[in-house]
Amino acid sequence: MNKTEKTPDDLAALFKKLPAQDYAQAGEIGKTLVAGGANTVRLLVSLVGDEFGAADGAKPKEALHALVIYASRPGAGAERKVVAETLSKELAAEHSEELKAFVTRQLQLCGREEDVPSIARLLGSDRLCEPATQAIVAIGGKAARQALQEALPQSADQRKVTISQAVDLLSAR
Amino acid sequence: MSQTHKPTRRRFLQTTAAGTAAFTIVPRHVLGRGQTPPSETLTYAVVGNGRRKDAGIGCAGARKKIAVCDVDTKHIGGEPDNKTRYTDFRRLLERQDLDVVCIATPPHWHALVCIAAAQAGKHIFCEKPMTKFIAEGRSVADAVNKAGVAFQIGTFHRYGNAKNKSHVENHKIIKHGLMKDLSGIVAYAGARNRTGRTDLTEQQVPSSLDYDMWLGPAPYKPYNSARVHYSNRFYWDYEGGDLTNFGAHSYDPFQWSFAKDDTSPVRAVPSAPWPQHPDAVGQYGWVELTYADGLKVVVTGGGWKGGPKYETSAQRRMLGAADLDDAGRQKLAELPDPEPMLSFGDAVRQGKQSGGHAESSHRVCTALHLANIAIRMGRTIHFDPVKEQITGDEQANRLVNIPMRAPWHL
């Protein structure tokens, strides 16, 4: 483990500082989280936990959201890429659908075209089709439209409505 | 018969107001003092018949409620019958005998119901805040404009400012460009600052509530009673907290006084605890919103104990004749006062727009949404008031036009 990697105890100590009471402190928290790299992203996802809305998942959720926002600030391309790439991989891990929905909503904020294929794998899920589609629409671009168009023939019922509407929206842009 | 010549109730009201069909009206003097002719009585229905109901609709004048609509059958006083009690606003809007729709749903539904009402030719009274995100407001304003219906937002303090001599003078100076650099002026708009809960686990949906329809365009999240029926306003998916809730009341009159009904701030600087929870609205101290001419409006929350105080070198709160040179004062004296603002009822009957119209309401909401986006990002954001996009910050800009849950869309 390198010295910037975070342990659950490190993160528990950081959670006590959330939310920061000024932007200098907020910047320090952002830097600390980003410095933890992909392992910290994965650890935070696991700490959010599979149960939707559980009280002990609130601070990890806040911290992961903070990391997503901080790493996506203007001019922070490399940091954002690590966070988004790691979150995209988490979509294929053994997590509850609600946890994956939360991760997908973070990708709605920080994802880019290269994250679309990972998100698009959720389009076949009745629960996750909606957040996945919204994230893909938010990312936009050619890869997004193509992924939705490819998923459309395999979709049915509400998923078909969701994906088809998204294709129309992206085509109209 | 073409759509253009279809004799709708709305057109009838407008036509009679213009006097061209006066023979169809029972004159007031025939009915006696204090009696309203039936043809001048507006019919209305409430969409979102929970806590607020039709509390703001008094601005319509003579009116008669003919139906209510809510996705919770507990709020409509019985089983839905699609006559006086509805659960789907789309069925309600099919009625030909309906003049006005009073929209008192949670804000994440406001835009879609407004747009559908406008397309159905209904006049709109919409509770504040007008929208959940910025792009919705543009769509509502365009739909209202295209349909030629009247719109009134549920806040009325601008009517007071428009009758106040100091505010009228301030308005005229800025509107007519008698002073172009407003960087020495700061106005304050206060709002409350209640917060949401971060521990909303899944609960059983009550049998009376159609939760899927309640969510509508908002992302699906498992039901918890805190998400619905008033406390919804403390969750980002449904509203922007008290900043948009009460902020609308205080920002709206300032926006008129400073002649900013057709533009938006170019910059938002936040001061708030960070991060905000991704689901629940948190505390904030203040947000400084700056317009292209330098005017600053500071939205204050008051709920963040120990947060930094807002500091500024700007001294003035308003402009008056004393701030102008001799030529400016002369020009100000020659300028006519603005046209009096029409009440919603008069706007409907005269086929015009009311004081709290859709474009101004959209601009109020845009400013407040920008404040919230800056709070959530924890950084200064810049906005293009013409393109209505956040510039130089792709992530922040993704909150300007948030994808909706199908089948709902703008």
Side-chain angles (χ1 to χ4, degrees):
Chain A
M1 182 187 286
N2 69 46
K3 64 181 177 184
T4 56
E5 244 175 62
K6 301 292 172 289
T7 65
D9 285 347
D10 292 335
L11 289 177
L14 185 137
F15 295 157
K16 288 179 183 164
K17 297 178 184 170
L18 298 181
Q21 296 300 302
D22 61 59
Y23 290 124
Q25 192 192 1
E28 286 306 313
I29 288 169
K31 272 183 204 164
T32 305
L33 288 167
V34 161
N39 281 343
T40 296
V41 177
R42 281 192 289 271
L43 186 53
L44 283 171
V45 171
S46 71
L47 290 171
V48 171
D50 283 328
E51 188 192 347
F52 181 81
D56 59 2
K59 284 293 173 188
K61 222 177 208 184
E62 216 170 297
L64 184 55
H65 187 57
L67 175 53
V68 163
I69 289 174
Y70 183 79
S72 304
R73 69 197 185 283
E79 294 170 4
R80 185 209 57 75
K81 197 169 167 40
V82 170
V83 173
E85 196 175 274
T86 312
L87 289 175
S88 293
K89 285 179 184 165
E90 286 296 295
L91 296 179
E94 287 291 318
H95 296 307
S96 69
E97 288 189 325
E98 290 307 325
L99 179 53
K100 286 188 184 180
F102 174 72
V103 170
T104 308
R105 283 193 289 271
Q106 301 315 298
L107 282 162
Q108 186 171 331
L109 288 171
C110 70
R112 296 289 188 275
E113 285 212 351
E114 63 269 22
D115 304 305
V116 166
S118 303
I119 303 169
R121 288 190 197 103
L122 306 180
L123 294 173
S125 154
D126 286 342
R127 169 66 187 99
L128 296 172
C129 180
E130 175 228 329
T133 303
Q134 291 178 359
I136 291 170
V137 169
I139 291 168
K142 194 175 165 187
R145 194 166 62 246
Q146 193 177 329
L148 292 167
Q149 278 168 337
E150 284 172 10
L152 194 52
Q154 285 84 48
S155 64
D157 305 322
Q158 179 60 26
R159 286 191 292 113
K160 188 168 192 167
V161 174
T162 299
I163 296 169
S164 146
Q165 174 172 300
V167 169
D168 289 347
L169 282 174
L170 288 179
S171 301
R173 276 186 191 169
Chain B
M1 183 181 283
S2 76
Q3 186 69 24
T4 312
H5 296 100
K6 199 172 171 184
T8 64
R9 182 179 172 79
R10 176 169 62 84
R11 289 199 184 85
F12 172 76
L13 282 163
Q14 288 172 10
T15 308
T16 53
T20 54
F23 62 88
T24 60
I25 299 177
V26 181
R28 281 177 187 272
H29 70 267
V30 173
L31 295 169
R33 185 181 291 273
Q35 298 300 305
T36 302
S39 54
E40 287 185 22
T41 300
L42 299 174
T43 59
Y44 77 99
V46 183
V47 181
N49 200 46
R51 182 165 161 159
R52 180 74 180 160
K53 296 188 174 68
D54 57 354
I57 199 70
C59 57
R63 63 199 179 277
K64 179 186 175 190
K65 180 154 64 177
I66 60 172
V68 294
C69 176
D70 201 293
V71 295
D72 191 333
T73 53
K74 276 189 179 170
H75 293 167
I76 58 173
E79 287 300 306
D81 57 8
N82 284 347
K83 290 175 184 169
T84 58
R85 297 185 296 270
Y86 294 78
T87 54
D88 189 328
F89 70 95
R90 293 168 294 187
R91 299 290 80 75
L92 174 70
L93 294 177
E94 289 167 0
R95 289 182 68 148
Q96 296 298 309
D97 59 346
L98 179 63
D99 298 320
V100 173
V101 182
C102 171
I103 301 168
T105 63
H108 68 283
W109 261 115
H110 283 180
L112 291 176
V113 182
C114 279
I115 292 165
Q119 288 170 343
K122 313 301 182 193
H123 302 284
I124 300 160
F125 173 81
C126 180
E127 285 293 350
K128 52 79 198 164
M130 178 199 202
T131 54
K132 162 69 185 63
F133 56 82
I134 292 171
E136 288 182 326
R138 172 48 53 219
S139 296
V140 172
D142 288 351
V144 165
N145 189 38
K146 186 177 177 187
V149 296
F151 178 99
Q152 172 66 43
I153 195 69
T155 184
F156 305 96
H157 300 300
R158 65 169 43 216
Y159 286 86
N161 281 17
K163 290 177 185 167
N164 177 292
K165 193 180 168 190
S166 301
H167 283 278
V168 168
E169 202 166 68
N170 185 66
H171 176 89
K172 286 163 69 177
I173 289 171
I174 298 166
K175 176 116 182 147
H176 296 281
L178 301 184
M179 188 170 277
K180 291 187 168 63
D181 180 4
L182 304 189
S183 53
I185 300 174
V186 61
Y188 293 88
R192 292 177 70 182
N193 192 183
R194 290 168 291 177
T195 58
R197 285 170 45 194
T198 59
D199 59 347
L200 303 186
T201 51
E202 184 167 13
Q203 295 174 344
Q204 183 74 32
V205 180
S207 59
S208 63
L209 176 67
D210 181 346
Y211 184 54
D212 184 67
M213 192 66 173
W214 186 92
L215 283 170
Y220 172 81
K221 284 180 186 167
Y223 173 82
N224 182 293
S225 60
R227 291 191 181 278
V228 302
H229 301 346
Y230 191 81
S231 51
N232 55 268
R233 60 179 76 249
F234 309 123
Y235 300 91
W236 296 118
D237 287 339
Y238 322 118
E239 189 171 343
D242 276 331
L243 196 149
T244 51
N245 175 30
F246 281 99
H249 281 311
S250 53
Y251 205 96
D252 185 69
F254 277 116
Q255 186 179 277
W256 181 84
S257 295
F258 287 95
K260 296 288 181 279
D261 275 354
D262 59 354
T263 189
S264 298
V266 295
R267 190 181 69 189
V269 180
S271 178
W274 187 89
Q276 295 278 308
H277 189 272
D279 193 25
V281 172
Q283 292 185 328
Y284 70 99
W286 48 263
V287 182
E288 180 197 75
L289 296 153
T290 305
Y291 287 85
D293 58 11
L295 171 71
K296 291 179 173 58
V297 182
V298 180
V299 183
T300 56
W304 185 23
K305 305 298 177 202
K309 301 288 176 214
Y310 178 71
E311 290 177 8
T312 178
S313 58
Q315 298 295 318
R316 299 299 311 268
R317 303 283 180 97
M318 295 257 285
L319 287 172
D323 296 300
L324 304 175
D325 58 18
D326 288 345
R329 274 195 292 276
Q330 177 67 30
K331 197 166 180 185
L332 178 64
E334 290 166 1
L335 285 170
D337 281 349
E339 289 281 311
M341 283 182 193
L342 288 181
S343 72
F344 178 56
D346 286 346
V348 170
R349 292 176 178 88
Q350 294 176 28
K352 294 179 178 174
Q353 274 305 338
S354 63
H357 55 83
E359 180 68 28
S360 66
S361 303
H362 162 51
R363 294 295 182 171
V364 168
C365 258
T366 295
L368 300 173
H369 291 321
L370 287 173
N372 266 335
I373 292 171
I375 287 171
R376 295 177 75 178
M377 293 296 113
R379 55 189 180 241
T380 297
I381 56 169
H382 299 271
F383 188 68
D384 181 332
V386 177
K387 291 179 180 167
E388 301 190 86
Q389 297 281 307
I390 290 171
T391 56
D393 191 333
E394 180 175 347
Q395 184 186 48
N397 196 48
R398 287 188 185 180
L399 297 178
V400 168
N401 188 2
I402 301 170
M404 290 179 166
R405 196 168 67 107
W408 308 105
H409 62 87
L410 289 176

